[in-house]
Amino acid sequence: MTTKNIPTVKLLINGEFVESKTDQWREVINPATQEVLARVPFATPDEINAAIANAKEAFKTWRKTPIGARARIFLKYQQLIRENMKELAAILTAEQGKTLADAEGDVFRGLEVVEHASAVGNLQLGELANNVAGGVDTYTLLQPLGVCAGITPFNFPAMIPLWMFPMAIATGNTFVLKPSEQDPMVTMRLAELAMEAGIPAGVLNVIHGGVDAVNAVCDHPDIKAVSFVGSTHVGTHVYNRSSQAGKRVQCMMGAKNHAIVMPDANKEQTLNNLVGAAFGAAGQRCMALPVIILVGEARNWLPELARKAQTLKVSAGVEPGTDVGPVISTAALERVNGLIQKGVDEGAELVLDGRNPSVPGYEDGNFVGPTILAGVKPGMSVYDQEIFGPVLNVMQADSLDEAIEIINANPNGNGTAIFTRSGGIARRFQEEIDVGQVGINVPIPVPVPLFSFSGSRGSKLGDLGPYGKQVIMFYTQTKTVTARWFDDDEQAAAVNTTITLK
């Protein structure tokens, strides 16, 4: 296929899907086949500035749009996403590699936030205190900030954009989205559906690019808030650069999630949960489970865990029965395989080696199968670094206290879990663990949108998380009004030189 025959990903600026005038392009590649699916542009500075300028202009009227009208757009939007779920999942699988079932899950978890955005009328409420002084009332208004921006990762190209722009727009802001340049196609289809749902021109804009586009978002004076999900390295850069420019920032970053397995846990259920959480989505989840700590007699479960992992099917996401698809790129594959070897070189036991699996019909794909390393300790590269592949590190502890100490010593705090039948053990764990999101017999404790995503410590920069109640505060500023009204015939009071209201 010649370059001329390869589809191009468009920009969305001021309500129109336009061809970029850039001379810098990147190929979107199917990770299972190496087929070039599309070419994505790295937007020019003029195009980025135009997107932001149109968002700023659109804010003047969008901020005054009745809250019910904003909510109805997202009622329509969630309907359109549901109607196009299969198409969205197919696009996502082709460019990202997930199984079709996992791709639908990616879209669905974003859809939940769209549904939450449609209830903005109940979420964006201020407070009122009547008669705080004689004839004086005080009340608060939650008002939008202006132009907001989002920078999203490759691993959830549907869910993470849907975490960001619906809540920002529903609260009265306008938005500039920069999706991952590795798999932007499903994001653009979601943008098309958003426009079909009735989002006005300029309220949602989409640009593409790499570090220059990220820096432009962080630096631009007209952007008031930046939301980021991705690696710790980039997230720290975004946080520091945006904060220095005076913006609100929330950065959900890298992780090293642990699960403690107590010997009293339900064995069959626990092993199934561990295998799914460690190897699903090829381990490319910030809430994946790359480390388990087997406590006491539970360390004897390792052989059975390995046997279950061996039964998982490694293939392209479109193939029936596939459990583990490819990683996103050849560079990612090389990195995962290199870290596995480094783990062995540093003293870990290779219980299950998933490198170089045979995948008939997809010999050029970026595949690595479920891999288990035992005897892993802090200081090893496989423990200290986020592998972002289907690799499970197994550690051991003699007691719950020892296991908690291991987790609390890790710099990350995105998620953790415990498997046990003891309510007392579970409660003690949730009280003493220093991690933002805790699962009890739940391996990937991502909360539903009624609550807030609450990763902590090295996994998060910024006080407020995406979606839930916290994101309403992130995308609005509180204005406090103190009001007194006088009757026309009311006699004037004496001059008061103090600030006390009576």
Side-chain angles (χ1 to χ4, degrees), residues 18-96:
V18 297
E19 193 80 61
S20 175
K21 293 181 172 61
T22 187
D23 59 2
Q24 297 184 54
W25 297 82
R26 174 176 176 143
E27 293 177 338
V28 179
I29 296 175
N30 184 323
T33 65
Q34 306 307 318
E35 174 192 359
V36 178
L37 302 174
R39 297 168 65 235
V40 60
F42 280 33
T44 67
D46 286 346
E47 290 166 342
I48 294 171
N49 289 334
I52 297 170
N54 281 284
K56 183 180 180 181
E57 183 64 25
F59 177 67
K60 295 176 183 177
T61 52
W62 180 246
R63 69 188 300 270
K64 297 178 181 178
T65 301
I67 199 166
R70 302 200 304 260
R72 283 190 290 274
I73 288 173
F74 289 99
L75 282 171
K76 177 65 173 176
Y77 190 36
Q78 64 87 23
Q79 176 189 346
L80 289 172
I81 292 174
R82 288 183 182 277
E83 291 173 353
N84 292 275
M85 181 73 76
K86 296 294 184 183
E87 178 199 358
L88 291 164
I91 296 170
L92 199 160
T93 292
E95 64 179 342
Q96 202 277 341

Side-chain angles (χ1 to χ4, degrees), residues 54-65 70 74 120 124 142-149 164-176 199-205 222-225 248 471-477:
N54 281 284
K56 183 180 180 181
E57 183 64 25
F59 177 67
K60 295 176 183 177
T61 52
W62 180 246
R63 69 188 300 270
K64 297 178 181 178
T65 301
R70 302 200 304 260
F74 289 99
V120 68
Q124 198 173 347
L142 299 183
Q143 297 188 318
L145 303 174
V147 183
C148 301
M164 293 183 183
F165 74 81
M167 295 306 299
I169 291 173
T171 49
N173 300 282
T174 55
F175 205 83
V176 177
I199 291 180
V203 172
L204 173 62
N205 303 269
D222 289 335
I223 290 180
K224 305 303 180 184
R248 290 189 183 181
V471 85
I472 300 296
M473 301 307 298
F474 180 75
Y475 284 126
T476 62
Q477 53 191 345

